[in-house]
């Protein structure tokens, strides 16, 4: 169904009015819902009272302007889960771990460990609450072809024995810790709870985020609901496709829309949203770190938790919390090992 046909579902909107609305940028219920009657009346050639009717219907349909009570806001916040990195220093810095119902942005230069973190959290999210997980599954939107099942294999085997034993038991897997068949079955069970899709370009990426809503809904009442949505990398396609200053506004608008749907998955289904971002060099910065994340301000507003990764000696990485509501900025250290990301 085209957007124009959608608009024709509004009272008093026929094909001609729908076209005029469309031509003037009113291509969704949302955009009509926030318009004023006089504005709409002028631009779509309808009387002001018809314009009011159209706007009210669009508001109902788009569910805009809905308030909720403090009680239900509180109820939703009480469900917020914390997903642990299983690195005590970092989990402490995050006051327990990566929050659900929020977007966390991890940014840093190439090789700083962004993709390693997305893989590790795709494993950790599946663990039971007592082990630092959220007992959930993961959706992984892979834009740079970096997802490696072999890496998940290594990271699962790299979990502490205590955790492994309890997962083998909990998942009803036959055999004992260390038996190769048992370990393979365990790894397969972890892999089966990671839904990976490659995004070929930014439009495809946007579609996959919308598709994620469906997957989350499908598993809402599952034993393992979606509790983590990773996008690695959030910005690479946008950066490659929208080149030059003239494309900047367009790029930000698309990215903003994309972040909005990621945010929806997080909020509606109580999932953590983890996005990665490269840094761009900023020649204007004479002081401090001469790098800043791609995406500028819009991403700054939306990604509620921001973490900056910095390479250090060998496999050591500095992890900085640079922006988080109600948390102090801080700095920790991790190592990228064969067994996964580990404490220093
Ligand atoms: P870009 O995507 O290129 O921007 O980099 P990134 O930040 O995603 O880096 P990534 O997480 O891919 O790599 C971080 C570090 O982990 C690198 O120094 C790699 O050498 C290391 N690494 C990657 N895979 C493995 C692995 O299988 N074993 C070990 N021990 N280290 C790995
Ligand atoms: Mg990467």
């Amino acid at each position: 169904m085209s957007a124009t046909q959608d608009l024709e579902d509004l009272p008093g909107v026929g094909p001609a009015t729908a076209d005029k609305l469309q031509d003037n940028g009113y291509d969704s219920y949302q955009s009509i819902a926030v318009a004023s009657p006089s504005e709409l009346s002028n631009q779509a050639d309808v009387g002001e009272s018809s314009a009011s009717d159209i706007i009210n219907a669009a508001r109902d349909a788009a569910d805009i302007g809905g308030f909720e009570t403090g009680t239900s806001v509180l109820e939703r916040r009480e469900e917020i889960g914390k997903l642990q990195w299983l690195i005590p220093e970092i989990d402490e810095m995050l006051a327990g771990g990566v929050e659900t119902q929020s977007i966390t942005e991890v940014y840093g230069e190439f090789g700083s460990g962004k993709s390693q973190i997305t893989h590790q959290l795709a494993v950790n999210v599946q663990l039971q609450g007592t082990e630092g997980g959220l007992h959930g599954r993961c959706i992984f939107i892979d834009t740079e072809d970096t997802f490696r099942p072999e890496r998940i294999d290594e990271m699962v085997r790299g979990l502490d024995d205590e955790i492994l034993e309890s997962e083998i038991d909990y998942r009803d897997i036959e055999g004992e810790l260390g038996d190769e068949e048992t370990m393979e079955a365990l790894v397969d069970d972890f892999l089966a709870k990671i839904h990976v899709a490659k995004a070929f370009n930014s439009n495809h990426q946007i579609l996959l985020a919308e598709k994620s809503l469906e997957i989350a809904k499908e598993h809402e009442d599952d034993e393992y609901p979606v509790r983590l949505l990773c996008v690695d990398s959030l910005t690479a396609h946008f950066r490659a496709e929208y080149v030059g200053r003239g494309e900047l506004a367009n790029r930000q608008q698309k990215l903003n829309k994309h972040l909005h749907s990621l945010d929806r998955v997080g909020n509606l289904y109580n999932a953590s949203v983890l996005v990665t971002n490269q840094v761009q060099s900023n020649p204007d910065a004479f002081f401090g770190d001469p790098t800043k994340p791609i995406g500028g301000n819009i991403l700054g507003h939306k990604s509620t938790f921001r973490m900056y990764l910095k390479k250090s000696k060998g496999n050591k990485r500095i992890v900085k919390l640079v922006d988080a509501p109600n948390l102090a900025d801080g700095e920790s250290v991790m190592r990228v090992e064969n067994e996964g990301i580990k404490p220093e």
Side-chain angles (χ1 to χ4, degrees):
M1 194 169 31
S2 78
T4 317
Q5 275 172 322
D6 268 344
L7 298 185
E8 285 178 37
D9 291 342
L10 295 167
V13 176
T17 307
D19 282 347
K20 276 189 192 145
L21 287 169
Q22 190 95 339
D23 290 347
N24 286 289
Y26 297 107
D27 54 0
S28 64
Y29 287 176
Q30 269 98 339
S31 57
I32 295 171
V34 297
S36 76
S38 63
E39 199 182 9
L40 203 72
S41 153
N42 281 334
Q43 300 193 8
D45 257 347
V46 294
E48 258 193 52
S49 80
S50 313
S52 281
D53 292 344
I54 294 171
I55 290 167
N56 284 333
R59 282 187 183 161
D60 288 343
D63 194 19
I64 273 185
F67 285 83
E68 57 181 343
T69 61
T71 323
S72 61
V73 174
L74 184 65
E75 273 168 12
R76 208 148 36 82
R77 286 205 56 85
E78 278 169 351
E79 282 177 15
I80 289 180
K82 311 250 186 168
L83 166 57
Q84 290 186 16
W85 293 43
L86 295 175
I87 298 180
E89 207 190 353
I90 294 180
D91 292 326
E92 204 170 299
M93 180 170 81
L94 291 172
V98 174
E99 284 195 359
T100 63
Q101 302 178 32
S102 287
I103 297 180
T104 299
E105 175 193 10
V106 171
Y107 68 98
E109 64 172 323
F110 70 93
S112 58
K114 304 181 292 293
S115 297
Q116 299 304 306
I117 290 168
T118 55
H119 280 71
Q120 185 73 59
L121 291 183
V123 170
N124 294 4
V125 70
Q126 301 188 25
L127 306 177
Q128 299 154 69
T130 47
E131 296 165 344
L134 296 172
H135 201 270
R137 61 185 67 229
C138 169
I139 298 176
F140 200 111
I141 300 179
D142 182 9
T143 78
E144 298 188 299
D145 200 13
T146 46
F147 181 79
R148 293 285 173 276
E150 298 83 2
R151 197 61 185 124
I152 298 294
D153 186 317
E154 289 173 335
M155 287 176 168
V156 169
R157 291 170 194 258
L159 292 166
D160 286 352
D161 283 355
E162 216 175 290
I163 293 180
L164 284 172
E165 267 170 3
S166 128
E167 287 296 318
I168 289 168
D169 187 41
Y170 187 83
R171 293 174 193 233
D172 254 341
I173 289 167
E174 273 182 45
E176 309 237 325
L177 176 64
D179 292 350
E180 185 46 29
E181 264 179 45
T182 306
M183 297 312 280
E184 274 173 24
L186 182 64
V187 168
D188 282 349
D189 208 68
F190 272 87
L191 285 171
K193 294 180 176 66
I194 306 175
H195 305 254
V196 190
K198 273 184 210 167
F200 298 108
N201 56 44
S202 65
N203 280 327
H204 189 207
Q205 186 178 332
I206 287 169
L207 278 176
L208 288 174
E210 285 159 14
K211 179 86 188 158
S212 301
L213 262 179
E214 290 171 32
I215 300 178
K217 189 172 174 57
E218 200 180 303
H219 292 284
E220 195 177 7
D221 301 318
D222 229 66
E223 199 191 350
Y224 283 83
V226 172
R227 287 284 177 260
L228 177 65
L229 170 57
C230 289
V231 187
D232 186 20
S233 126
L234 175 74
T235 43
H237 282 317
F238 290 90
R239 184 193 202 187
E241 291 166 32
Y242 297 88
V243 183
R245 289 206 72 77
E247 287 290 323
L248 215 59
N250 206 0
R251 180 176 90 182
Q252 291 302 60
Q253 197 194 358
K254 284 271 168 98
L255 226 128
N256 204 20
K257 183 181 167 217
H258 180 46
L259 280 163
H260 183 73
S261 50
L262 296 174
D263 212 23
R264 267 174 71 84
V265 178
N267 284 321
L268 288 176
Y269 297 100
N270 195 22
S272 311
V273 180
L274 182 72
V275 304
T276 69
N277 198 357
Q278 266 245 12
V279 286
Q280 61 191 1
S281 55
N282 175 8
D284 298 332
F286 285 105
F287 301 101
D289 210 300
T291 53
K292 61 175 187 181
I294 292 163
N297 269 340
I298 289 191
L299 203 53
H301 290 305
K302 283 266 164 137
S303 53
T304 36
F305 290 80
R306 321 183 74 202
M307 305 183 76
Y308 176 53
L309 296 180
K310 208 173 161 146
K311 287 189 206 166
S312 185
K313 267 191 197 154
N315 64 0
K316 192 167 142 179
R317 299 289 184 274
I318 314 287
V319 185
K320 281 189 181 180
L321 182 65
V322 291
D323 201 3
N326 308 320
L327 290 181
D329 290 357
E331 192 173 303
S332 308
V333 179
M334 67 173 199
R335 282 188 190 277
V336 184
E337 315 260 4
N338 279 332
E339 293 76 20
I341 58 164
K342 298 287 169 189
E344 222 208 325

